[in-house]
Amino acid sequence: MKKNTAAITGVQGYVPDYILTNQELETMVDTNDEWITSRTGIKERRILKAEGKATSDMAAEAVRGLLEKTNTNADEIDLIICATSTPDMMVASTACIVGDKVGAKNAFGYDLMAACSGFLYALSTGSKFIETGTYKKIIIIGVDMMSSIIDYTDRSTCIIFGDGAGAVMLEPDTEGYGVQDAILKSDGSGREYLHIKAGGSLSPSTHKTVDAREHYVFQDGQPVFKAAVKNMADVSAEIMERNCLTSDDVSWLVPHQANKRIINATAKRMGLGEERVMLNIQKYGNTTAGTIPLCLWDYENQLNKGDNIILAAFGGGFTWGSIYLKWAYNSKK
Ligand code: UT7
């Protein structure tokens, strides 16, 4: 019997309609379009403004589109893994809520929190259930509603983040397409530089924590930037070396969209020109777990069966990693 690999057989994204431009940010904090563009590459980001809507609503939109596109009934889904740092609520998990919203009544689901590396961790975890033959249809979601945890008076963070969701279908393949290798890492000492202070068991929510604005993302940008440049480039080079891939063999780099300068450094290290690097940071900003599936969605029409693709991310935790996959289908162009 041929060995199963875990192949992505469809991808779909969702971003909310509201566009928060650099120009609008100029009216909110002391910043300017030139600074934001040159330091990050971001021009605009999407914000979920609809009353009563949350992370699960963006994810459910992406999953509904994915089911339609892949001709899948919701009750065929075995498992939903939702990578997010902005769950709808502390309990229940967003994966369960999404399953309910899309009618995936035979699926179980759980959330996975690894900040910006969440999609890679979830994809790697899901692929093991496929490779072992345990499940046949798994949906991996990367989604974040960063606007719910961003302080729009803090210019060092509010210019970076946006809201969005991406989802992929993972199925067994017997021809060798799909996930080939993964290198996943973490270093908890990095939490000092990127965290949300309150709202967890260490510092539960109180009037004091709210007044001190401790429920928002804190980021000390420079150390995070340095660690991101080094680790994302290192891990991407490592996965190429481990799989005997030269830069000519790599069709696409799909980098986490945190900062265009970090993306450029990673591509340079891998020997890739910008024509082989997926980029949508200019229009969505950093959607945390959403960036990689949103890139795959945006570039799906340019992907061909057999393309060697390297996914790479770095984020809070610290967490980082790289996945090598062989694209499994030709899109209807
Ligand atoms: O996705 C999760 C992982 N996160 C990341 O990978 C993010 C990594 N970090 C970064 O991308 C960058 O560090 C930032 C984009 C966050 C900041 O860029 P930077 O080039 O590291 O800027 P900086 O923090 O060193 O600040 C440079 C200057 C400072 O002014 P002085 O001290 O030189 O006078 C800041 O006060 O820019 C100032 N500044 C701003 N100016 C205009 C900081 N934020 C802004 C702003 N607009 N929004």
Side-chain angles (χ1 to χ4, degrees):
M1 206 172 85
K2 276 191 178 166
K3 190 173 157 269
N4 279 341
T5 45
I8 292 177
T9 55
V11 56
Q12 183 70 22
Y14 172 81
V15 288
D17 293 334
Y18 189 85
I19 298 175
L20 175 59
T21 62
N22 289 353
Q23 286 69 26
E24 186 177 351
L25 281 165
E26 286 176 4
T27 69
M28 297 160 65
V29 289
D30 180 15
T31 191
N32 57 77
D33 176 50
E34 201 282 321
W35 191 96
I36 301 172
T37 308
S38 61
R39 299 288 177 128
T40 69
I42 303 168
K43 287 299 222 184
E44 54 190 45
R45 58 298 282 143
R46 300 301 180 100
I47 304 293
L48 183 61
K49 288 222 177 205
E51 188 76 24
K53 298 285 185 194
T55 296
S56 68
D57 296 290
M58 294 192 291
E61 285 288 345
V63 171
R64 281 189 203 102
L66 181 67
L67 292 172
E68 199 183 315
K69 209 168 167 179
T70 55
N71 282 320
T72 309
N73 288 321
D75 54 16
E76 292 175 64
I77 302 304
D78 300 307
L79 166 61
I80 298 172
I81 306 178
C82 182
T84 188
S85 304
T86 52
D88 284 22
M89 48 183 78
M90 292 292 280
V91 177
S93 80
T94 304
C96 293
I97 300 171
V98 173
D100 178 47
K101 286 185 175 170
V102 304
K105 53 182 186 299
N106 295 319
F108 75 105
Y110 55 88
D111 290 357
L112 189 155
M113 207 285 269
C116 303
S117 310
F119 183 78
L120 296 191
Y121 280 35
L123 182 61
S124 178
T125 306
S127 71
K128 301 301 167 199
F129 286 117
I130 298 282
E131 287 162 14
T132 53
T134 313
Y135 302 118
K136 296 268 183 291
K137 286 186 193 288
I138 300 179
I139 291 180
I140 309 292
I141 303 168
V143 56
D144 271 299
M145 183 176 164
M146 295 306 290
S147 61
S148 66
I149 53 168
I150 290 301
D151 180 353
Y152 285 93
T153 66
D154 175 5
R155 70 175 182 171
S156 70
T157 51
C158 74
I159 54 122
I160 298 169
F161 295 98
D163 302 339
V168 301
M169 184 73 75
L170 212 52
E171 295 184 80
D173 187 287
T174 52
E175 295 175 79
Y177 296 102
V179 176
Q180 308 292 308
D181 194 13
I183 303 176
L184 303 174
K185 308 215 177 200
S186 63
D187 175 3
S189 67
R191 69 190 182 282
E192 179 187 343
Y193 306 109
L194 181 49
H195 59 258
I196 296 177
K197 201 165 193 166
S201 56
L202 180 64
S203 177
S205 313
T206 62
H207 284 292
K208 213 172 133 204
T209 62
V210 172
D211 291 344
R213 308 183 83 79
E214 289 175 352
H215 294 268
Y216 294 120
V217 169
F218 164 83
Q219 178 170 259
D220 186 355
Q222 280 204 359
V224 180
F225 183 89
K226 279 185 196 148
V229 165
K230 180 177 183 332
N231 290 310
M232 220 165 108
D234 279 357
V235 82
S236 303
E238 188 183 339
I239 207 159
M240 283 174 69
E241 208 175 297
R242 191 155 104 171
N243 290 279
C244 303
L245 296 170
T246 67
S247 54
D248 289 341
D249 301 320
V250 176
S251 310
W252 291 98
L253 165 66
V254 192
H256 169 54
Q257 310 280 305
N259 188 315
K260 191 160 185 285
R261 291 182 289 147
I262 299 171
I263 294 170
N264 290 347
T266 304
K268 192 172 171 205
R269 178 77 175 279
M270 295 168 72
L272 298 184
E274 61 183 27
E275 72 288 349
R276 281 187 282 160
V277 180
M278 293 191 190
L279 195 77
N280 59 16
I281 192 171
Q282 69 286 358
K283 54 179 181 171
Y284 304 146
N286 181 349
T287 56
T288 302
T291 62
I292 289 177
L294 278 171
C295 273
L296 291 173
W297 178 50
D298 273 352
Y299 283 80
E300 186 190 15
N301 286 346
Q302 296 180 54
L303 299 177
N304 294 305
K305 191 170 180 174
D307 278 355
N308 287 321
I309 299 183
I310 306 282
L311 316 178
F314 181 90
F318 291 147
T319 58
W320 68 100
S322 188
I323 289 182
Y324 162 38
L325 57 87
K326 271 189 187 296
W327 197 247
Y329 62 97
N330 290 315
S331 309
K332 292 183 199 93
K333 304 207 177 182

